[in-house]
Amino acid sequence: MAGASKAVVDSRANLPFVYRQYSPEQLRQVLHTMYLIRRFEEGAEECYMRGLIHGTMHLSIGQEASAMGICMPLAEDDQITSTHRGHGHCIAKGAEVSRMFAEFFGKTTGYCKGRGGSMHIADVAKGNLGANGIVAGGIPIAVGAALSSKMMKTGKVVVSFFGDGANNEGAFHEALNMAAIWKLPVIFVCENNGYGMSTSTARSTAVKNIAERAAAYSMPGVIVNGNIFSEVAEASFKAVERARAGEGPTLIESKTYRHRGHSKSDRNRYRTKEEIEDWMANRDPITLFETELRDFGFIDDRGIQAIRDAVAKEIADGIEFAKASPAPEIATLGNYVYTEQA
Amino acid sequence: MDAAVRELSYAQAIQEAMAIAMDMDDRVFLMGEDIGVYGGAFQVTGDLVERYGTDRVIDTPISELGGAGVAVGAAVTGMRPIFEFQFSDFATLGMEQIVNQAAKMRFMLGGEVSVPVVMRFPAGSGTGAAAQHSQSLEAWLGHVPGLKVIQPATPHDAKGMLLAAVADPDPVMIFEHKLLYKMKGHVPEGHYTVPIGKAEVRREGRDLTIVATSVMVHKALDAASALEGEGIDIEVVDLRTIRPIDRQTIIDSVKKTSRLLCVYEAVKTLGIGAEVSALVAESEAFDYLDAPIVRLGGAETPIPYNPDLEKATVPQVPDIIAAARDLVKGVR
Ligand SMILES: Cc1ncc(C[n+]2csc(CCOP(=O)(O)OP(=O)(O)O)c2C)c(N)n1
Ligand SMILES: [Mg+2]
């Protein structure tokens, strides 16, 4: 997303990090993108219900501040690896929702030309090396990308997003260890939404906070409230600075919550209605950020309405684009298995 | 020394290829367990760390899954890693990254990326290393579209195919039989490539085609020499690549000899022999067959420790001689 801007304006000196670090225009843009993620997920869900999208999907509603906060300090050519719950990461890293919808509709105009769908959504041009169908699959790949950055001296920082469930995979531990011994410019972002499918972290994970696992790999382990944009962005900003300075990796645990079920098949039998409603009513990341922006005088109700309207149009246009796009020819089934060579 | 007759071992040939690849391209680097000062479990990387430094000859922790993933990630983002598994058996620990990530990334992303990673797998039995350090798992990987899987049988091919693999934009898996590492043979100086996907007729003959892989190529050639005296004229095809398989060379050879024997070290069932047999049965060469196709493969057991048992597990020259003779003489 946007790079850090200069001025620390005096009148903002006592405000949280992002209000000191970024311009009002940038912050309004953040609200726009968070709405874009929310409405994209809702739009995708609706298209799925209407049978326009097949397969399954994992919605990130409730986790928008986490995706946005982490991506905020990243430069356009910094890279991320993402997860099965990756729509928000993709948008936060700069993807166009029209091409994402097109991918979900299986069209040639989609980011993966209809070959990947929701679970492999990527946007290589914007540095998103892809979501992943394998829990923890992207973590070693991010370390490899960071190794490239170091060897090729590109200065790129790589972020690996993963869920709380992934921290019990061997790949997580192997990857963190290598990133630490080689001091690679990579940031591990565990989006702890409390559950891996139905299994709570209390039942799956021996440590209370996943960030504690950073100690085993001699890297900073930072816990943030993943529903507060400024907190997430501040932690990410520091980790990016550390990575760019060649000081090595950071593990950020972003504590958040998914409002929807794990995927389309979830009957929500492992958590209570009260718990879900509590998170939705009292800790919605968009409501929290919007309220803050308004309270601090960065936006008014008209401005908020303008953002909502613009996002609604972007989503409607994106779905139309996807619908109108061509499907791949069956004859192209064998494409992209191997690199086409002259 | 005269370049035309220069001999290197198979391991030296691979090492030379890796050095040439690193000299030609800054993006090429090596990763693996104990490949630095130790020189690799089979001394394939040898002293390369002294010439190229620890930044390009990287000792990884004992982390096959993570290590394979790092190699994949580096490949996708512009580097050209050559990743050594210490034993091919440990592919089982890296399978996730090989099969789900490396093989599919280009496809899943609609052609937006390539994964130019090379992975090397010291494979096979014959060293007394028992069941977990002696397997031949190439057909496992050969089953996966998106991968290329090769088994060079000579020092010449080991160098040329590795250089072809490094230049290849897609993931190439190299299975190197451990018994071949010390084998010497002619290896030209400098850069050259041996194409991936092309089998090689190692010996021409009229009576029988043996399609063999890796170390079995040499055993098949020994068997063919032994049968010469009996007037049996054997053609030996070195498959060299199992994905993509060179159908035409096999079909052409069988059309000429009318008999087919497949010889490979991996477990016989559901392996390369089944594939070669089936592709012949599906082709115009079927009409030329004068005898049923025969497969000689590994026994349906893990590789045992005891040396006699170990030998009995995989085809040996006398087994090939007997099978070839029976086939040509019509004994069933
Ligand atoms: C290796 C692997 N094991 C299991 C699964 C099935 N699976 C998909 S998502 C998931 C839960 C992951 O939980 P978490 O990492 O917390 O991410 P979240 O879904 O909460 O975002 C499981 C078990 C998988 N895709 N890959
Ligand atoms: Mg989770």
Side-chain angles (χ1 to χ4, degrees), chain B residues 55 175 221-222 231-232 284:
Chain B
D55 286 346
F175 283 79
L221 288 168
D222 288 350
I232 297 174
E284 76 265 24

Side-chain angles (χ1 to χ4, degrees), chain A residues 58 63 83-85 133-135 162-166 169 191 193 195-197 258 262:
Chain A
H58 308 85
Q63 305 186 182
T83 71
H84 57 285
R85 201 173 303 289
I134 305 296
V135 168
F162 50 93
D164 45 285
E169 289 278 9
E191 296 188 311
N193 56 16
Y195 300 88
M197 288 183 74
R258 62 168 155 74
H262 166 70

Side-chain angles (χ1 to χ4, degrees), chain A residues 2-71:
Chain A
S5 82
K6 46 195 157 62
V8 177
V9 179
D10 282 350
S11 64
R12 298 196 227 157
N14 294 323
L15 297 185
F17 170 79
V18 292
Y19 302 94
R20 289 175 273 126
Q21 186 65 31
Y22 298 107
S23 71
E25 183 44 41
Q26 283 176 306
L27 293 173
R28 285 190 290 270
Q29 187 58 42
V30 168
L31 184 66
H32 178 108
T33 309
M34 282 170 66
Y35 265 115
L36 195 61
I37 296 172
R38 175 74 53 99
R39 299 287 179 257
F40 177 86
E41 299 288 44
E42 289 167 354
E45 187 173 39
E46 198 198 319
C47 291
Y48 179 89
M49 297 301 189
R50 288 165 52 203
L52 295 167
I53 297 176
H54 78 158
T56 188
M57 62 174 75
H58 308 85
L59 302 174
S60 68
I61 294 176
Q63 305 186 182
E64 293 88 349
S66 184
M68 205 45 229
I70 294 295
C71 291

Side-chain angles (χ1 to χ4, degrees), chain A residues 9 26 30 48 81 87 150 170 176 321:
Chain A
V9 179
Q26 283 176 306
V30 168
Y48 179 89
T81 65
H87 309 162
K150 187 171 179 181
L176 263 70
F321 171 82

Side-chain angles (χ1 to χ4, degrees), chain A residues 113 132 137 148 174 338-340, chain B residues 66 77 101 106 110 114 147 170:
Chain A
K113 306 189 183 72
N132 213 303
S148 281
E174 296 184 21
Y338 296 101
T339 304
E340 301 70 30
Chain B
T77 50
Q101 313 293 346
R106 178 173 178 78
S114 289
L147 301 180
D170 296 315

Side-chain angles (χ1 to χ4, degrees), chain A residues 19-317:
Chain A
Y19 302 94
R20 289 175 273 126
Q21 186 65 31
Y22 298 107
S23 71
E25 183 44 41
Q26 283 176 306
L27 293 173
R28 285 190 290 270
Q29 187 58 42
V30 168
L31 184 66
H32 178 108
T33 309
M34 282 170 66
Y35 265 115
L36 195 61
I37 296 172
R38 175 74 53 99
R39 299 287 179 257
F40 177 86
E41 299 288 44
E42 289 167 354
E45 187 173 39
E46 198 198 319
C47 291
Y48 179 89
M49 297 301 189
R50 288 165 52 203
L52 295 167
I53 297 176
H54 78 158
T56 188
M57 62 174 75
H58 308 85
L59 302 174
S60 68
I61 294 176
Q63 305 186 182
E64 293 88 349
S66 184
M68 205 45 229
I70 294 295
C71 291
M72 189 69 189
L74 297 182
E76 183 163 311
D77 66 348
D78 287 333
Q79 290 165 322
I80 67 168
T81 65
S82 169
T83 71
H84 57 285
R85 201 173 303 289
H87 309 162
H89 308 146
C90 197
I91 295 171
K93 193 68 178 71
E96 290 165 28
V97 292
S98 55
R99 292 193 61 198
M100 290 177 66
F101 277 124
E103 185 58 35
F104 292 16
F105 280 58
K107 301 299 183 69
T108 56
T109 51
Y111 275 110
C112 310
K113 306 189 183 72
R115 270 72 173 176
S118 157
M119 210 146 44
H120 302 296
I121 193 72
D123 178 6
V124 178
K126 287 276 166 65
N128 181 357
L129 299 175
N132 213 303
I134 305 296
V135 168
I139 309 177
I141 293 175
V143 174
L147 181 63
S148 281
S149 166
K150 187 171 179 181
M151 295 183 92
M152 298 163 82
K153 300 189 171 59
T154 57
K156 289 182 193 179
V157 169
V158 187
V159 167
S160 181
F161 287 103
F162 50 93
D164 45 285
N167 97 99
N168 294 316
E169 289 278 9
F172 165 85
H173 295 273
E174 296 184 21
L176 263 70
N177 184 55
M178 280 186 275
I181 58 177
W182 297 329
K183 278 198 185 252
L184 296 179
V186 56
I187 302 165
F188 301 102
V189 178
C190 179
E191 296 188 311
N192 181 352
N193 56 16
Y195 300 88
M197 288 183 74
S198 66
T199 311
S200 66
T201 50
R203 289 171 58 218
S204 70
T205 304
V207 287
K208 187 157 178 293
N209 300 299
I210 290 160
E212 291 167 28
R213 293 205 154 151
Y217 305 106
S218 284
M219 68 177 79
V222 185
I223 300 171
V224 294
N225 182 333
N227 285 17
I228 299 181
F229 168 70
S230 185
E231 264 199 44
V232 183
E234 184 170 10
S236 180
F237 187 89
K238 285 184 184 148
V240 168
E241 277 196 323
R242 182 179 144 80
R244 269 207 233 287
E247 289 162 21
T250 302
L251 171 62
I252 297 175
E253 177 180 3
S254 174
K255 289 192 192 279
T256 181
Y257 196 79
R258 62 168 155 74
H259 294 179
R260 294 295 196 271
H262 166 70
S263 67
K264 303 314 298 178
S265 63
D266 190 344
R267 294 176 300 169
N268 270 323
R269 294 224 172 144
Y270 50 87
R271 53 183 191 174
T272 62
K273 223 167 126 230
E274 291 70 34
E275 177 183 299
I276 301 170
E277 279 165 4
D278 176 44
W279 278 88
M280 289 174 68
N282 301 317
R283 267 157 289 171
D284 183 290
I286 298 182
T287 308
L288 292 179
F289 183 56
E290 186 176 277
T291 306
E292 240 178 36
L293 274 184
R294 197 196 287 112
D295 290 353
F296 295 154
F298 285 74
I299 200 165
D300 57 16
D301 285 343
R302 260 187 52 220
I304 292 170
Q305 195 52 49
I307 285 176
R308 291 179 185 165
D309 291 345
V311 165
K313 181 167 180 338
E314 219 174 309
I315 295 298
D317 289 352

Side-chain angles (χ1 to χ4, degrees), chain B residues 233-276:
Chain B
D233 189 15
I234 295 177
E235 177 144 312
V236 176
V237 176
D238 174 358
L239 196 53
R240 298 204 292 200
T241 299
I242 66 168
R243 173 176 283 273
I245 204 161
D246 181 357
R247 303 176 75 252
Q248 203 55 51
T249 300
I250 298 168
I251 290 168
D252 290 347
S253 178
V254 173
K255 279 165 75 176
K256 185 170 87 172
T257 65
S258 303
R259 295 180 185 86
L260 173 62
L261 173 63
C262 306
V263 187
Y264 50 106
E265 172 165 329
V267 172
K268 178 176 166 182
T269 305
L270 292 162
I272 291 162
E275 185 55 40
V276 171

